Amino acid sequence: MALYLDTAIPAPRVSFATPRACIKSEVFDAALLIVPPVAALTAVAAVQANPGLFRALLLADLSLLGYTHVVATYTRLAFAAETFRRNRFLAFDLLLLVVVASLALVFTAGTWVVATVFLYLQWFHYMRQGHGLARMYFRASPEGQSAGSRDIVTDLLLVLVPVYAIAARSATMGGTFLDLPAKTPVLPAEAITALGLAAAVAGVMWTLRSALAFTRGTLDGMYASFVLSYVAMFLVGYIAIESADIGWLAISIWHTLQYALMVWMMSAKKQAGAEPASFIARMSPPRRMAGYVLSCIAISTAIYLVLGQLVMAMGGGMLVAVVIYLGINFHHYMVGALMWKRRRIAAA
């Protein structure tokens, strides 16, 4: 892909011979693009209008989306006997190791270590998933279907904006994150400004190139719209919203809804034309998304309620319960990164 713009000589109008493909279908692609950011921004608007709603929406996000999207990982990794046997270390042994390591960190270094690591791991996790989805939209575009095609300008934008966003947030968020103590590194103001300028330059390059593609009739609207929504959510979640907690709520809802839709899509594709191998697989075929989501909500609610009660009964207290939940999320980040990269991991 050319990385320069020649505006002096009018470019001839061209059109891609290859029609746009879909990640799954036009309806699904549009839903994946529209539903997560709209839900996130609606929740933020509600909290801004009535701050008393924050805890209720946070609880809903954690219980209906956060815990559910963690469980959604396991529906692909270990919800059938065969896949559990193949993935036992990733699904179970590694989980125990990560939770124990999280507890050890808290009781040796302090709660702030886990809370701070959680903040930055989440940021990286959100960025990585968004970038992966952008690549999927790109590959579905006519230009992206060419062998070996890359979109370097967009890749730069998708990295520089989140890096600037987390740097700016780290400098202003203070000493707590979701009511837990946190210690964020603060870069010099000049460095943050430089990151912002670099992100702005990438944004200008992307905008000019997209405008030129639009005039030529070659702009893929779905792909461009996703890139815009990705940039907007990072700027809103980490910069525009003054409260770090409310900003996190926005980007968390955006991320978890995306993830739930993507896991359902992957499971549905795998089960297409095949006999379902497990209960959760029977919830994955087309037109059963509601059943899949409700099943994940029910399973996650039961697991986290039992886990919370078990910790309390053993005298662990709320801090131990929170750290265990964070440890589960750390494990989810690690396994998720491997699951989407390594084809050899057997999915349910």
Side-chain angles (χ1 to χ4, degrees):
M1 177 183 299
L3 299 183
Y4 59 87
L5 296 173
D6 187 352
T7 56
I9 302 175
R13 290 182 61 86
V14 296
S15 60
F16 291 109
T18 305
R20 186 184 194 279
C22 290
I23 295 175
K24 186 178 189 297
S25 68
E26 290 184 0
V27 173
F28 180 86
D29 288 16
L32 185 61
L33 169 65
I34 296 170
V35 173
V38 169
L41 296 177
T42 300
V44 167
V47 173
Q48 299 284 33
N50 183 359
L53 291 175
F54 174 75
R55 291 194 176 276
L57 289 174
L58 176 63
L59 178 61
D61 174 48
L62 292 175
S63 58
L64 298 180
L65 296 176
Y67 301 159
T68 300
H69 109 286
V70 170
V71 167
T73 299
Y74 293 95
T75 67
R76 285 180 50 80
L77 193 67
F79 267 56
E82 179 63 23
T83 54
F84 178 75
R85 282 194 294 270
R86 293 183 182 181
N87 302 321
R88 175 179 168 172
F89 174 77
L90 289 176
F92 183 74
D93 298 344
L94 182 61
L95 173 61
L96 290 180
L97 290 173
V98 172
V99 170
V100 169
S102 299
L103 289 168
L105 268 177
V106 166
F107 292 109
T108 56
T111 309
W112 70 269
V113 174
V114 173
T116 304
V117 170
F118 184 57
L119 170 68
Y120 289 101
L121 276 181
Q122 282 187 313
W123 162 80
F124 180 76
H125 186 58
Y126 300 158
M127 179 176 66
R128 186 180 180 281
Q129 176 175 294
H131 185 265
L133 283 175
R135 290 290 299 164
M136 293 181 71
Y137 275 103
F138 174 66
R139 288 195 295 269
S141 70
E143 187 178 4
Q145 294 176 58
S146 301
S149 59
R150 294 291 303 273
D151 188 353
I152 299 176
V153 171
T154 300
D155 286 345
L156 284 173
L157 181 65
L158 297 182
V159 171
L160 288 173
V161 169
V163 169
Y164 165 61
I166 193 65
R169 175 62 81 195
S170 299
T172 60
M173 67 178 295
T176 62
F177 174 56
L178 297 177
D179 291 335
L180 294 173
K183 298 180 182 180
T184 56
V186 178
L187 296 177
E190 296 79 7
I192 297 175
T193 300
L195 288 172
L197 288 174
V201 168
V204 169
M205 291 172 59
W206 181 87
T207 301
L208 291 175
R209 195 198 58 184
S210 297
L212 183 59
F214 178 78
T215 62
R216 291 176 170 177
T218 60
L219 180 69
D220 187 89
M222 196 76 75
Y223 174 46
S225 296
F226 180 81
V227 173
L228 284 174
S229 69
Y230 172 100
V231 170
M233 286 307 304
F234 272 96
L235 293 179
V236 168
Y238 288 100
I239 295 178
I241 298 176
E242 183 178 355
S243 166
D245 292 349
I246 297 176
W248 174 85
L249 177 66
I251 206 162
S252 173
I253 292 174
W254 172 69
H255 161 78
T256 50
L257 278 173
Q258 281 181 343
Y259 193 89
L261 289 170
M262 288 302 301
V263 172
W264 173 81
M265 183 199 73
M266 295 294 185
S267 298
K269 283 185 175 181
K270 182 176 178 62
Q271 294 302 323
E275 184 67 24
S278 65
F279 164 74
I280 201 67
R282 289 193 289 271
M283 296 297 100
S284 299
R287 297 183 297 279
R288 291 189 183 177
M289 183 185 295
Y292 175 79
V293 172
L294 290 174
S295 296
C296 286
I297 290 174
I299 293 168
S300 63
T301 300
I303 290 174
Y304 279 90
L305 282 176
V306 170
L307 180 60
Q309 293 300 316
L310 180 62
V311 170
M312 297 300 181
M314 295 175 63
M318 183 58 69
L319 175 61
V320 173
V322 169
V323 174
I324 289 176
Y325 296 157
L326 295 183
I328 292 173
N329 276 275
F330 294 158
H331 174 259
H332 158 69
Y333 299 154
M334 297 168 65
V335 171
L338 291 172
M339 187 175 72
W340 299 108
K341 279 285 188 182
R342 290 168 53 188
R343 296 180 182 273
R344 64 181 179 176
I345 293 181

